[in-house]
């Protein structure tokens, strides 16, 4: 495969905090159009990898390529403008705004303008068609007028994904998208991720191995800040190194 086959590549990526090496010499390639999962026990370095890829923190060593372009020296805002958008473990919505207005805020951000609270709603109606389409995509069209803070946890996560989609990402990074959800919300969120991935590349950190088994085309397992093994679910779940890394944890859904 060539560089064009991969949206992002990490080469020898490392990050040291004082005397602690959080991640060490990570090589990672995420193939275009795939769902790639990053898994591992607590403290394995998964979130640090996310922070490095999105430039929230700087690497101690190594390089990051996005569509073949070296972005190691770029800022988070610059990489976001290239089409890389990240969600976080904690749902980030405006709780006092309506579901629709949360999407319209994101759409205005995508267009490079700020949300103008002093203007009438009619001035923002030009955004409504796209906003309702996004809400339809994530199953929230019937909640457009609801206050975002009143949504269930699972639906708040769906709204957060909709706001990230408003930024038209090519590459979407999802940090624990099903964390804290009940079974029904997990199933709905997994189905949403599958729909989202039809037109973009997804890298996700996820503890729910059932979700990983169902969604991921490729899985990278981290342990102790290093890549332990990479492969499809059948390959990694049968690997004794993975089983040892997950001692005390379930290694099947």
């Amino acid at each position: 495969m060539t560089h064009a086959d991969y949206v992002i590549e990490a080469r020898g990526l490392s990050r040291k905090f004082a005397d602690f090496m959080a991640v060490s010499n990570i090589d990672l390639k995420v193939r275009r159009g795939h769902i790639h999962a990053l898994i591992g026990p607590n403290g394995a370095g998964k979130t640090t990898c996310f922070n490095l890829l999105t430039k929230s923190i700087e690497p101690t060593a190594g390089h990051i390529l996005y569509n073949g372009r070296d972005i190691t020296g770029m800022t988070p805002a610059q990489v976001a403008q290239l089409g890389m958008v990240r969600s976080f473990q904690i749902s980030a919505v405006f709780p006092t705004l309506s579901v629709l207005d949360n999407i319209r805020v994101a759409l205005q951000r995508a267009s490079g303008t700020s949300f103008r609270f002093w203007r009438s709603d009619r001035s923002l109606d030009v955004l409504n068609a796209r906003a309702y389409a996004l809400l339809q995509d994530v199953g929230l069209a019937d909640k457009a007028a609801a206050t975002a803070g009143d949504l269930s946890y699972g639906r708040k996560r769906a709204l957060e994904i909709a706001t990230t989609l408003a930024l038209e990402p090519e590459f979407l990074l999802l940090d624990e998208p099903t964390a804290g959800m009940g079974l029904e919300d997990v199933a709905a969120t997994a189905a949403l991720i599958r729909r989202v991935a039809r037109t973009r590349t997804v890298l996700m950190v996820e503890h729910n191995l059932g979700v990983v088994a169902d969604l991921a085309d490729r899985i990278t397992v981290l342990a102790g800040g290093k890549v332990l093994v990479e492969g499809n679910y059948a390959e990694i779940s049968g690997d004794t190194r993975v089983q040892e890394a997950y001692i005390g944890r379930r290694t099947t859904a």
Side-chain angles (χ1 to χ4, degrees):
M1 294 182 185
T2 66
H3 293 312
D5 294 309
Y6 300 102
V7 171
I8 200 160
E9 299 177 62
R11 299 176 179 175
L13 204 58
S14 300
R15 173 67 193 199
K16 189 175 184 180
F17 296 98
D19 294 327
F20 173 66
M21 187 65 76
V23 296
S24 178
N25 200 33
I26 297 289
D27 289 332
L28 177 69
K29 292 183 177 182
V30 179
R31 190 173 178 182
R32 192 177 311 281
H34 279 202
I35 300 175
H36 194 123
L38 199 60
I39 71 171
N42 288 335
K46 305 181 297 296
T47 297
T48 300
C49 275
F50 258 41
N51 290 337
L52 288 167
L53 293 175
T54 55
K55 301 311 308 298
S56 298
I57 58 175
E58 294 296 323
T60 305
H63 295 276
I64 305 164
L65 276 67
Y66 184 72
N67 286 325
R69 177 181 179 182
D70 194 327
I71 63 168
T72 312
M74 289 188 177
T75 65
Q78 287 172 328
V79 299
Q81 289 172 353
L82 293 177
M84 187 191 308
V85 178
R86 174 191 177 171
S87 74
F88 292 86
Q89 289 184 22
I90 300 173
S91 182
V93 300
F94 294 105
T96 61
L97 293 182
S98 71
V99 169
L100 177 64
D101 280 343
N102 268 267
I103 301 298
R104 297 199 298 187
V105 167
L107 288 170
Q108 282 208 321
R109 180 182 169 196
S111 66
T113 59
S114 59
F115 193 78
R116 297 175 173 86
F117 292 97
W118 61 88
R119 295 176 59 179
S120 71
D121 283 348
R122 289 191 303 274
S123 68
L124 299 176
D125 284 350
V126 67
L127 303 175
N128 284 353
R130 177 61 179 149
Y132 277 109
L134 286 166
L135 291 178
Q136 184 71 41
D137 285 346
V138 300
L140 289 176
D142 62 332
K143 296 293 183 181
T147 301
D150 293 337
L151 295 177
S152 69
Y153 180 74
R155 291 201 162 193
K156 284 178 183 175
R157 296 311 300 263
L159 177 57
E160 182 189 16
I161 291 175
T163 61
T164 63
L165 296 180
L167 303 178
E168 299 292 346
E170 174 192 22
F171 182 43
L172 184 61
L173 298 95
L174 301 176
D175 197 357
E176 297 285 3
T178 68
M181 291 184 182
L183 289 176
E184 184 176 343
D185 282 338
V186 167
T189 301
L192 171 57
I193 293 169
R194 187 181 298 281
R195 291 199 304 273
V196 165
R198 290 173 185 164
T199 55
R200 52 186 55 83
T201 304
V202 174
L203 175 65
M204 65 178 186
V205 167
E206 181 55 61
H207 272 111
N208 188 319
L209 296 185
V211 172
V212 171
D214 183 47
L215 293 180
D217 302 296
R218 194 79 176 166
I219 303 164
T220 298
V221 184
L222 298 183
K226 299 180 179 180
V227 174
L228 186 64
V229 66
E230 184 174 298
N232 60 36
Y233 187 78
E235 291 168 340
I236 67 101
S237 63
D239 193 297
T240 56
R241 293 168 295 177
V242 176
Q243 294 167 3
E244 290 169 2
Y246 274 92
I247 287 175
R249 296 171 175 267
R250 289 175 62 89
T251 56
T252 58

